[in-house]
Amino acid sequence: MNRLYYGDCLEVMLDQMKQASVDLIYLDPPFNSNRQYNAIYKDETGRPLPDQIDAFCDMWTLDRETDEQIRKMPILLADAGVDSHVAEFWKVWANALRRTNPSLLAYLSYMVQRLAFMKGILKPTGSLYLHCDPTASHYIKVMMDGIFGHKNFRSEIVWQRHRGFKRRTAKQFPQKNDTILFYAQSADSVRFHAQYRPHKPDYIRRFKKDEAGRLYRDDVNPTRGGRRVIYLDETKGDIVDSVWTDIPPVNPRAKERMGYATQKPLALLERIIKASSDPGDVVFDPFCGCATTLEAAHRLDRQWIGIDIAIHAIKRVARVRLEERLGLVEGQDFTIEGVPRDLEGARDLHQRDPYHFQKWAVEQVDGFVTTRRSADGGIDGRLYFAMPDERDLQSMAIEVKGGRHVNINVVRELRGVLERDEAKLAGLIVLEPLSQRKAQNFGREMGEAGFLEVEGRVFPRLQLLTVTDILDGKRFDTPWAVGRHEPEPHLPGIS
């Protein structure tokens, strides 16, 4: 069955995917371009969120944990069957980049880890297409040569992603293309079908209709001394080469538009899938984002697997792309994996990865993990909402506590954050259910924070939800929340 995973693709590949189980991998990972992609999180009025979030952040930092992974990379490469000389090269290269471009090194470490595991899950006849921009494509290609083998490099595809006039840029030519690196698991057994472009209008005009309405033309070749009839439907157009100028970017007003700044057109994925897979094959996208790959695979009768680290993307994909556009039914046509369904699942997630649990909890209540901290560092995320007659979005500061022993001091500290922070409201999420006495004490302290009045309605300024509440569908009581698909029933504060 088709599967959509919530989580880091590295962890999902390690825990959930079998070796040699995938026919085609397409990945469009975050580029190392120091840009933040949060266009999908604008509300219907077009207002951007006041605070940057990390869901589409591709700014890379060489911290202690990443540096430790870099030092262990030769072991990982050896386990993936990569030649030992490549591992030695990595050590030298890492030492050089650590001093000259540490953010690029952090990005390369992230990608190399994942590419090594992708090689393992690819079938002997399989292929991998990596979509990137010129910022890091040449660095990535060097490591892909090492991981997959230089002889298994098939093509460097240049896709013209912009058309028409482009403004003059200072001291460089305008950038209008992306690069797609195409590698085979084995050049000797790779599955590949040549693709052809539609016939050009000038060529079609050379044909005429026969009595049955079929387009044909006479082909007279003196060197062969004869005449033959050529039918248009039996001829192929120009073969698709490595320069793709015939697939335009997604029109901002197109139905397939999902709000992602880097969304790729369906036609692009359809060409790749047709070229390197057959009906029934498994297509895998480890950074599925708005799930263009999944839709293209489904329309071409392939099985698919997609992974994304943002729960907002997973929910949006399931609702808009899979259910509304394709008419698929969860549990019947596809499954969503990795999202806690009960308290035990949430506990397990917290135990395995506390940060991922925190991220899940914030996003599950329609909030956004924030990169900007409050004065005391106690904010894990924000929930944004619109207020009448105010141009800018307002926010609820959210803190998540996963431990078993959450005391009244946590509430008092959050109340202090509310008083110092620019947020209108504050919310606390706790993993474990509260005892009756603790709930009463928390409710009393929260009540003293007061209320926010909006058009005759009052909202507790300090609110609390347990994970059980969240799994039961409850949400924080706010004015209309950005990112919430349907209005949620307003819930009273704890009393």
Side-chain angles (χ1 to χ4, degrees):
M1 181 180 289
N2 300 318
R3 288 168 283 165
L4 184 60
Y5 287 98
Y6 165 57
D8 186 321
C9 63
L10 180 62
E11 296 177 2
V12 174
M13 287 189 290
L14 276 168
D15 297 338
Q16 304 293 332
M17 301 186 70
K18 298 178 180 179
Q19 295 288 291
S21 61
V22 169
D23 296 283
L24 170 62
I25 301 175
Y26 169 84
L27 61 153
D28 182 14
F31 295 156
N32 188 34
S33 54
N34 289 336
R35 289 184 294 169
Q36 302 264 359
Y37 300 114
N38 68 345
I40 191 176
Y41 298 124
K42 290 182 180 179
D43 67 7
E44 279 75 1
T45 66
R47 291 175 291 182
L49 301 181
D51 200 12
Q52 294 293 340
I53 55 174
D54 74 347
F56 291 97
C57 170
D58 60 342
M59 298 178 67
W60 304 93
T61 303
L62 186 58
D63 54 22
R64 183 178 298 178
E65 182 180 354
T66 303
D67 198 49
E68 183 64 23
Q69 293 171 350
I70 291 167
R71 296 182 190 279
K72 293 179 179 178
M73 192 68 71
I75 299 174
L76 184 149
L77 293 173
D79 290 344
V82 178
D83 188 279
S84 60
H85 293 92
V86 175
E88 289 302 314
F89 168 75
W90 169 261
K91 291 179 184 178
V92 175
W93 206 15
N95 286 334
L97 289 174
R98 188 178 281 108
R99 294 170 175 81
T100 59
N101 198 336
S103 62
L104 175 61
L105 178 57
Y107 175 77
L108 286 175
S109 170
Y110 177 90
M111 289 304 305
V112 169
Q113 273 188 299
R114 286 151 181 79
L115 287 167
F117 281 100
M118 289 177 204
K119 175 178 171 59
I121 65 173
L122 201 59
K123 291 181 181 179
T125 55
S127 301
L128 180 145
Y129 289 74
L130 189 148
H131 197 131
C132 48
D133 73 358
T135 309
S137 59
H138 46 302
Y139 292 93
I140 292 290
K141 185 180 185 302
V142 169
M143 291 312 301
M144 292 183 73
D145 281 349
I147 294 170
F148 288 90
H150 186 270
K151 67 177 183 179
N152 294 321
F153 169 67
R154 300 290 82 200
S155 301
E156 181 180 72
I157 300 163
V158 176
W159 174 51
Q160 181 180 311
R161 57 181 166 84
H162 288 294
R163 287 187 172 184
F165 174 78
K166 193 167 178 64
R167 292 182 179 180
R168 185 178 64 183
T169 57
K171 300 182 181 180
Q172 68 183 62
F173 294 105
Q175 185 65 42
K176 300 180 68 172
N177 70 279
D178 284 351
T179 298
I180 304 174
L181 301 175
F182 168 27
Y183 281 78
Q185 180 75 296
S186 169
D188 297 328
S189 57
V190 63
R191 181 177 298 146
F192 183 77
H193 311 292
Q195 299 296 297
Y196 298 87
R197 294 186 172 93
H199 291 294
K200 296 176 181 178
D202 288 346
Y203 181 76
I204 296 175
R205 281 194 286 269
R206 296 164 59 186
F207 288 75
K208 53 189 176 182
K209 291 183 179 180
D210 62 14
E211 295 180 354
R214 193 178 179 191
L215 291 174
Y216 77 98
R217 70 179 178 88
D218 294 322
D219 179 38
V220 179
N221 191 328
T223 61
R224 290 198 300 262
R227 171 184 174 276
R228 64 171 182 158
V229 175
I230 298 176
Y231 288 95
L232 182 64
D233 57 13
E234 293 178 350
T235 65
K236 295 178 179 179
D238 294 335
I239 193 168
V240 174
D241 54 27
S242 62
V243 180
W244 297 0
T245 62
D246 57 331
I247 299 178
V250 181
N251 189 307
R253 294 179 292 276
K255 288 184 178 180
E256 68 176 277
R257 190 74 195 178
M258 294 278 288
Y260 281 67
T262 59
Q263 180 173 342
K264 304 305 182 291
L266 270 172
L268 186 77
L269 273 302
E270 288 174 347
R271 175 172 291 174
I272 291 171
I273 292 170
K274 288 177 181 178
S276 292
S277 70
D278 293 327
D281 282 354
V282 177
V283 177
F284 171 45
D285 187 339
F287 301 92
C288 72
C290 62
T292 303
T293 306
L294 309 190
E295 178 171 350
H298 184 81
R299 292 187 183 280
L300 294 172
D301 196 28
R302 273 70 166 173
Q303 301 177 72
W304 50 260
I305 300 170
I307 306 174
D308 203 274
I309 200 167
I311 195 68
H312 288 287
I314 294 295
K315 292 193 293 185
R316 188 178 178 88
V317 162
R319 174 174 58 83
V320 178
R321 182 77 79 172
L322 303 181
E323 295 175 0
E324 294 180 7
R325 283 178 59 83
L326 296 177
L328 305 182
V329 177
E330 183 183 353
Q332 176 179 310
D333 302 307
F334 70 95
T335 61
I336 299 178
E337 310 287 345
V339 180
R341 304 289 184 178
D342 52 28
L343 182 57
E344 287 305 312
R347 285 170 175 160
D348 178 67
L349 178 60
H350 177 260
Q351 185 175 6
R352 287 187 289 108
D353 189 338
Y355 175 74
H356 198 170
F357 164 76
Q358 170 188 304
K359 189 173 185 296
W360 167 79
V362 169
E363 293 185 333
Q364 194 65 23
V365 296
D366 308 305
F368 303 90
V369 177
T370 180
T371 58
R372 189 173 68 189
R373 310 290 285 182
S374 66
D376 68 348
I379 300 303
D380 299 318
R382 292 182 184 273
L383 188 155
Y384 296 95
F385 55 88
M387 290 183 63
D389 303 322
E390 291 201 26
R391 184 174 180 272
D392 295 331
L393 296 173
Q394 303 302 312
S395 70
M396 166 184 270
I398 300 175
E399 184 174 4
V400 180
K401 292 295 182 183
R404 291 184 176 274
H405 305 291
V406 180
N407 58 42
I408 194 68
N409 289 332
V410 172
V411 180
R412 289 170 181 161
E413 290 171 3
L414 186 58
R415 183 178 172 187
V417 170
L418 179 61
E419 293 171 354
R420 297 187 300 272
D421 196 86
E422 61 189 26
K424 297 284 188 181
L425 306 170
L428 175 65
I429 298 174
V430 297
L431 172 58
E432 299 297 337
L434 301 178
S435 66
Q436 182 176 359
R437 182 177 179 180
K438 185 175 287 189
Q440 290 173 345
N441 291 339
F442 279 26
R444 190 179 305 111
E445 185 73 25
M446 289 181 165
E448 293 178 3
F451 297 85
L452 173 69
E453 184 172 348
V454 180
E455 293 188 325
R457 291 195 56 216
V458 292
F459 303 88
R461 294 197 68 211
L462 200 55
Q463 302 176 34
L464 180 145
L465 286 173
T466 66
V467 164
T468 300
D469 291 333
I470 294 171
L471 294 171
D472 287 341
K474 297 178 182 178
R475 298 294 180 264
F476 287 119
D477 188 21
T478 71
W480 180 76
V482 175
R484 188 170 292 169
H485 176 48
E486 296 177 353
E488 297 281 350
H490 290 283
L491 304 172
I494 293 181
S495 59

